[in-house]
């Protein structure tokens, strides 16, 4: 069977990536389609931030829109816990490192991303904390020692290099932000796929990917 590759540029703290999570799951069920993850580092370096009332007021309308559009769940622990904790740090780098580590452990990056999103948006967990990341990796069945070693190997410069490469890919794709998807063509080119019309419609997205992969 021929294998096509869908490139997915994401961020673990991106609400619209959470909106697209059912689309990613639907894509995983397309025969012969491999999904390659690219963490874009939305909240890394100088873009890291702590929660503020202003930030809560900014994200709440987006979150309500995502829930309305996609039926993705949001928890009270997120709305009334995490979003009111002015000591909580929003930092994409540690969870991106964790996803890279999980990907080296049997290709479990997408599984961990899904778990991280649920932990953040439903359970109100602090997914920038190393201890929380270890717990979530264990939740999906990853060996604790193997995950710790892989996390250490990817921490720091390897993750920052991955983010830089992801941003370069995003530019090459013509993507406007997160989430962005592109299907690799046989000639090495990339065909960007706009996921926004498919939010809340994973079956239609899946059919679209089947057709697009067949033409790539």
């Amino acid at each position: 069977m021929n294998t096509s590759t869908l490139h997915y540029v994401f961020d673990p703290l991106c609400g619209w990536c959470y909106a697209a999570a059912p689309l990613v799951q639907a894509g995983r069920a397309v025969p012969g389609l491999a999904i390659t993850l690219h963490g874009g580092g939305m909240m890394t370096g100088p873009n890291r931030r702590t929660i503020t009332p202003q930030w809560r007021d900014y994200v709440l309308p987006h979150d309500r829109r995502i829930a309305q559009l996609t039926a993705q769940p949001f928890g009270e622990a997120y709305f009334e816990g995490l979003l009111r904790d002015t000591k909580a740090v929003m930092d994409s780098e540690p969870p991106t490192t964790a996803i890279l580590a999980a990907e080296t452990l049997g290709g479990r990056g997408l599984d961990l991303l899904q778990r991280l999103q649920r932990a953040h948006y439903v359970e109100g967990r602090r997914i920038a904390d190393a201890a929380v990341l270890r717990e979530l990796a264990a939740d999906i069945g990853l060996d604790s020692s193997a995950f710790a070693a892989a996390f250490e190997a990817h921490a720091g410069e390897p993750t920052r290099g991955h983010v830089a490469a992801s941003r370069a890919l995003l530019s090459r794709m013509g993507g406007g932000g997160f989430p962005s998807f592109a299907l690799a063509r046989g000639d090495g080119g990339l065909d960007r796929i706009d996921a926004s019309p498919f939010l809340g419609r994973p079956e239609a997205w899946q059919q679209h990917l089947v057709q697009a992969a067949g033409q790539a």
Side-chain angles (χ1 to χ4, degrees):
M1 179 183 291
N2 292 330
T3 300
S4 300
T5 299
L6 181 69
H7 294 281
Y8 174 31
V9 185
F10 74 99
D11 190 88
L13 291 170
C14 163
W16 289 101
C17 295
Y18 181 53
L23 305 187
V24 176
Q25 284 302 103
R28 298 181 77 178
V30 174
L33 183 68
I35 301 177
T36 300
L37 285 168
H38 305 276
M42 184 177 75
M43 291 185 175
T44 57
N47 292 323
R48 290 185 306 166
R49 62 183 308 132
T50 53
I51 299 289
T52 62
Q54 292 78 15
W55 176 253
R56 185 177 189 274
D57 290 343
Y58 170 74
V59 299
L60 277 177
H62 291 280
D63 293 337
R64 293 193 181 105
R65 175 67 177 142
I66 289 165
Q68 180 185 42
L69 193 62
T70 68
Q72 283 285 77
F74 290 82
E76 282 298 299
Y78 168 72
F79 284 137
E80 300 302 331
L82 180 61
L83 288 185
R84 293 191 183 279
D85 181 1
T86 55
K87 295 180 181 178
V89 176
M90 303 282 280
D91 184 353
S92 301
E93 188 171 320
T96 300
T97 299
I99 290 165
L100 293 174
E103 188 62 20
T104 66
L105 301 174
R108 301 295 305 282
L110 278 170
D111 295 329
L112 186 58
L113 172 58
Q114 185 179 43
R115 182 67 188 94
L116 289 171
Q117 289 171 323
R118 189 167 77 251
H120 180 73
Y121 289 105
V122 179
E123 300 163 13
R125 307 276 291 276
R126 281 67 174 160
I127 64 169
D129 291 359
V132 172
L133 292 170
R134 289 193 296 270
E135 290 173 9
L136 298 175
D139 282 354
I140 67 165
L142 294 180
D143 177 79
S144 297
S145 297
F147 175 76
F151 185 92
E152 184 176 354
H154 285 88
E157 284 305 317
T159 295
R160 289 191 277 275
H162 170 85
V163 166
S166 298
R167 290 178 176 174
L169 177 69
L170 184 64
S171 177
R172 190 158 71 90
M173 287 165 54
F178 314 108
S180 285
F181 297 89
L183 197 65
R185 296 198 307 264
D187 63 3
L190 293 168
D191 291 327
R192 189 166 74 87
I193 303 176
D194 182 6
S196 58
F198 296 97
L199 291 173
R201 303 170 58 225
E203 296 84 2
W205 169 254
Q206 190 177 68
Q207 292 169 5
H208 184 73
L209 288 179
V210 169
Q211 294 171 353
Q215 297 168 0

